[in-house]
Amino acid sequence: MNTTTAETAQAGDRHLRISPSILYFGTPVALLTTLNDDGSPNLAPMSSAWALGHSVVLGLGRDSHTARNLDTRPELVINFPSPDLWQTVEALAPLTGADPVPEAKKAVYRYEPDKFGAAGLKSEDSEVVAPPRVVECPLQLEARVRSMTPGGADGHFRVIECEVVRVHAAASIVVPGTQHIDPGAWSPLIYNFRHYHALAPELGHGFRSETAALRRASSEWGSAQSRGSVVSGPDTDPRA
């Protein structure tokens, strides 16, 4: 390798000091359902969320309609759409439940009182909290707000800690006979620097995975059954 080529390679490998306008480095999209003053549901997409145990922490704009709803009615459902719903999520993005539309949002957002209808989504009653769930979302977390604190250098954000009180999952993404989500069957919709992505194929699993052994046992059981070496039944099914 000559000197010029080596210098080019080194330059390509260097990290650059940049100042991006946003830091949406790839997190799941959620559709939050809350209740408006008149009891109607509000539906809002967001992607600033993370979980620790059965707590979910959300980041919202201080003046967002969702944050204001939660300030007075601290219940919500955190609905996770699958990648095929990305266009539905994007259709919701420029809509707001605030009437009148705040001055800071008027150039981009428009008021929409029926976001479920505008997005072509269906609602269903929750079991523990008042806001409804989104039928089309495979994973739905009913939750209650435990704390709401200012965030950001100027307090422009709200950091909201929620306690999940009920989990609903489509049967297709649950390991049969267990309480576990099957990571091989479930892919969240990922928001990556304002672009939508699905998960890439699995690379491996962590040492604390609760589903890897179940999937391996299930695969082995299925292979044995296909060879006729086991009899189907609850006593022989390792997934039970």
Side-chain angles (χ1 to χ4, degrees):
M1 180 182 294
N2 60 41
T3 304
T4 302
T5 304
E7 290 175 350
T8 301
Q10 290 173 2
D13 291 340
R14 284 204 306 264
H15 287 75
L16 302 178
R17 185 184 297 114
I18 64 173
S19 299
S21 60
I22 44 104
L23 293 175
Y24 300 141
F25 45 76
T27 49
V29 172
L31 298 179
L32 305 184
T33 49
T34 58
L35 290 185
N36 299 315
D37 291 338
D38 62 3
S40 63
N42 185 60
L43 181 62
M46 59 88 69
S47 64
S48 297
W50 59 275
L52 186 63
H54 278 73
S55 294
V56 175
V57 179
L58 310 174
L60 296 172
R62 176 189 60 199
D63 299 325
S64 70
H65 191 62
T66 297
R68 293 186 177 187
N69 278 349
L70 291 175
D71 193 39
T72 54
R73 289 167 296 279
E75 293 186 335
L76 71 159
V77 182
I78 308 166
N79 304 274
F80 290 96
S82 50
D84 60 296
L85 290 174
W86 79 267
Q87 290 175 307
T88 300
V89 170
E90 183 61 17
L92 282 167
L95 307 180
T96 177
D99 183 27
V101 178
E103 285 296 327
K105 289 189 170 185
K106 281 185 176 179
V108 178
Y109 295 86
R110 67 176 178 84
Y111 171 61
E112 174 53 63
D114 179 15
K115 291 188 181 180
F116 274 93
L121 296 171
K122 298 184 180 72
S123 65
E124 60 183 331
D125 290 340
S126 295
E127 296 179 357
V128 180
V129 301
R133 295 175 282 148
V134 179
V135 172
E136 291 82 357
C137 289
L139 189 59
Q140 310 156 341
L141 312 182
E142 297 185 36
R144 293 192 175 104
V145 173
R146 290 305 178 210
S147 67
M148 186 182 299
T149 56
D154 57 358
H156 190 67
F157 301 107
R158 288 293 177 265
V159 179
I160 305 169
E161 181 183 348
C162 306
E163 177 188 2
V164 175
V165 295
R166 187 65 52 87
V167 177
H168 306 269
S172 60
I173 66 170
V174 177
V175 178
T178 76
Q179 301 293 313
H180 300 302
I181 300 295
D182 183 350
W186 164 237
S187 174
L189 174 61
I190 301 296
Y191 198 51
N192 179 19
F193 288 95
R194 291 185 173 147
H195 290 247
Y196 296 99
H197 293 259
L199 291 184
E202 180 180 332
L203 300 176
H205 62 267
F207 77 97
R208 296 187 63 185
S209 170
E210 297 175 303
T211 56
L214 290 169
R215 285 195 293 175
R216 183 167 57 251
S218 176
S219 176
E220 291 171 354
W221 176 81
S223 297
Q225 188 179 44
S226 67
R227 295 193 302 269
S229 57
V230 298
V231 178
S232 179
D235 293 335
T236 58
D237 188 347
R239 298 172 296 179

